[in-house]
């Protein structure tokens, strides 16, 4: 997990789309069962890929990254809902110059603030971004001060470039669409109140370009949120498909897709605990599309006190100061299941004042020439650095 200190450490990851899950299946017989005539066809289950000595480290690392990204998306939606409309900052609105950059977490991929602003059905409102491009909002809100059940918000960004935090320097370039729908709401959402709700979000090719690369997001998610105290939430994210893509400068794009997914997240302050289950597909350049199942046996925990500053970030001038921190899980375990094979990943924090964050990997497979097993332990940064 890599975050920028100019933004909230656990800001929602704006990630990208990936290759679709490839559907594979056998051919049907020419003698169809007449009893099934006229019935809806049963969808074929895609065949899982074998986990091998050459791909298990890549599959393990990318499966964890997919789960972590999903947890961040859900956490960002939860915090943004509590802080709405402070989670948005619109250019040119009354009060928009105050407290710039101090909102807890922006809506996924956007940094705007809604101040003295009311969405009315059938009336789209377009705003210019400070450094070029525009943002268009549409939908309907029953209360301008908070989200309520039945609210619908749609955001369209066109080459929008806004300030980087509270500075007068241009920040990320954002394109694409997203929509938010409040399915349920109990209590009055706020950073310090007790409330619960269900928020559905749809991303349509939402792309962010920054100095760290390009991130994009497509798909749907529905997040159930229960807040019991200030900055303490329990969340569950479910959906049919979320397609992700990240590409750092000079690196090959990492393509992911989560399907039929569920993630359970607990947030306390800046600390997160998360686990989940989903079908997962990724593209490995020398092997093509790989499809596996992912399940968490023990939730991963990420603690703010474990943040490791990077001074300065790679490629930055020495005077740039601390802008980036790395945060790795201190515990957690997941299983990745393929065709006649499985792999495990376990996180471990080892050491005292300068701890080491270890990733313990293991793989077992059954092959035509016999069984195969292997294991390795490496630093967590090296596991993710190979992606």
């Amino acid at each position: 997990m890599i975050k920028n200190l100019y933004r909230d450490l656990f800001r929602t990851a704006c990630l990208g789309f990936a290759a679709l899950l490839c559907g594979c299946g056998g051919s049907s017989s020419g003698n169809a069962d007449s009893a099934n005539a006229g019935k809806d066809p049963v969808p074929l289950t895609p065949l899982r890929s074998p986990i091998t000595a050459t791909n298990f480290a890549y599959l393990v690392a990318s499966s964890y990254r997919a789960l972590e990204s999903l947890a961040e998306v859900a956490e960002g939606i939860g915090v943004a809902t509590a802080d709405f409309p402070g989670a948005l900052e619109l250019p040119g609105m009354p009060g928009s110059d105050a407290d710039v950059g101090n909102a807890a977490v922006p809506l996924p991929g956007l940094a705007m603030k809604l101040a003295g602003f009311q969405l009315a059905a059938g009336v789209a409102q377009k705003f210019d971004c400070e450094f070029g491009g525009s943002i268009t909002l549409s939908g309907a809100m029953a209360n301008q001060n908070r989200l309520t059940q039945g609210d619908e918000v749609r955001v369209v960004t066109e080459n929008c470039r806004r300030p980087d935090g509270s500075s007068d320097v241009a920040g990320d370039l954002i394109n694409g669409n997203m929509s938010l729908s409040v399915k349920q709401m109990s209590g009055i959402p706020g950073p310090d109140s007790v409330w619960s709700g269900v928020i559905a979000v749809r991303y349509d090719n939402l792309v962010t370009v920054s100095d760290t690369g390009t991130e994009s997001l497509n798909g749907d998610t529905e997040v159930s949120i229960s807040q019991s105290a200030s900055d303490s939430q329990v969340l569950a994210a479910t959906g049919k498909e979320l397609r992700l893509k990240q590409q750092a400068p000079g690196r090959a794009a990492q393509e992911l897709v989560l399907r039929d997914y569920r993630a359970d997240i607990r947030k306390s302050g800046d600390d997160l605990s998360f686990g989940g289950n989903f079908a997962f597909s990724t593209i490995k350049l020398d092997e093509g599309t790989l499809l596996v199942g992912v399940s968490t046996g023990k939730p991963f925990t990420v603690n703010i006190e474990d943040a490791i500053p990077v001074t300065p970030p790679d490629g930055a001038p020495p005077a740039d100061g601390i802008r980036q921190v790395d945060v790795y899980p201190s515990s957690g375990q997941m299983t990745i299941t393929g065709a006649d094979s499985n792999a495990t990943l376990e996180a471990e924090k080892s050491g005292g004042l300068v701890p080491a964050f270890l990733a313990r990997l293991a793989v077992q497979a059954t092959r035509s020439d016999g069984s195969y097993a292997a294991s390795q332990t490496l630093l967590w940064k090296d596991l993710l650095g190979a992606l």
Side-chain angles (χ1 to χ4, degrees), residues 335-378:
T335 299
I336 298 89
T337 305
D340 299 320
S341 54
N342 65 80
T344 59
L345 169 65
E346 186 169 0
E348 179 183 327
K349 179 183 177 181
S350 176
L353 293 177
V354 184
F357 295 88
L358 304 178
R360 299 191 182 278
L361 288 66
V363 61
Q364 293 184 330
T366 302
R367 305 183 305 191
S368 58
D369 57 351
S371 61
Y372 167 81
S375 62
Q376 67 179 109
T377 299
L378 65 163

Side-chain angles (χ1 to χ4, degrees), residues 220-256:
D220 65 287
T221 188
E222 186 170 283
V223 181
S224 298
I225 309 159
S226 177
Q227 180 168 297
S228 58
S230 176
D231 218 12
S232 178
Q233 293 182 340
V234 176
L235 309 103
T238 59
K240 296 300 295 181
E241 184 176 275
L242 202 60
R243 294 177 288 146
L244 316 169
K245 186 175 182 180
Q246 286 183 310
Q247 184 167 18
R251 302 283 296 273
Q254 184 190 12
E255 298 184 314
L256 313 171

Side-chain angles (χ1 to χ4, degrees), residues 104-314:
V105 175
L107 280 177
L110 301 173
M112 306 176 295
K113 182 175 181 181
L114 200 59
F117 176 76
Q118 181 69 50
L119 278 180
V123 181
Q125 302 190 44
K126 186 174 183 178
F127 301 88
D128 293 330
C129 299
E130 286 90 325
F131 292 91
S134 65
I135 300 169
T136 301
L137 295 179
S138 59
M141 290 176 57
N143 188 317
Q144 69 176 12
N145 297 315
R146 60 185 174 89
L147 290 175
T148 57
Q149 186 166 323
D151 285 354
E152 302 277 348
V153 181
R154 178 170 173 79
V155 183
V156 177
T157 59
E158 297 180 282
N159 296 316
C160 177
R161 194 182 292 274
R162 298 188 39 76
D164 185 0
S166 59
S167 72
D168 57 358
V169 177
D172 300 349
L173 178 68
I174 306 173
N175 274 289
N177 311 327
M178 63 165 290
S179 57
L180 177 151
S181 177
V182 182
K183 300 294 187 181
Q184 297 178 26
M185 187 63 69
S186 177
I188 299 177
D192 303 315
S193 61
V194 176
W195 62 278
S196 62
V198 178
I199 310 295
V201 178
R202 174 74 194 180
Y203 304 96
D204 293 307
N205 201 30
L206 186 62
V207 181
T208 300
V209 181
S210 68
D211 55 1
T212 61
T214 300
E215 301 176 318
S216 58
L217 179 61
N218 275 276
D220 65 287
T221 188
E222 186 170 283
V223 181
S224 298
I225 309 159
S226 177
Q227 180 168 297
S228 58
S230 176
D231 218 12
S232 178
Q233 293 182 340
V234 176
L235 309 103
T238 59
K240 296 300 295 181
E241 184 176 275
L242 202 60
R243 294 177 288 146
L244 316 169
K245 186 175 182 180
Q246 286 183 310
Q247 184 167 18
R251 302 283 296 273
Q254 184 190 12
E255 298 184 314
L256 313 171
V257 63
L258 298 86
R259 199 171 189 182
D260 296 324
Y261 64 83
R262 178 185 174 93
D264 292 285
I265 305 102
R266 289 182 177 270
K267 177 182 183 294
S268 178
D270 285 324
D271 297 336
L272 287 178
S273 173
F274 53 90
N277 301 278
F278 49 91
F280 173 66
S281 177
T282 183
I283 293 179
K284 194 169 184 291
L285 291 180
D286 53 348
E287 295 190 43
T289 300
L290 301 173
L291 174 64
V292 294
V294 177
S295 61
T296 305
K298 179 183 178 181
F300 290 94
T301 56
V302 178
N303 309 112
I304 189 62
E305 60 264 24
D306 292 332
I308 302 172
V310 180
T311 315
D314 294 342

Side-chain angles (χ1 to χ4, degrees), residues 64-81:
Y64 172 80
R65 175 163 287 178
L67 174 62
E68 178 191 63
S69 300
L70 176 59
E72 287 188 324
V73 168
E75 187 268 348
I77 292 171
V79 175
T81 304

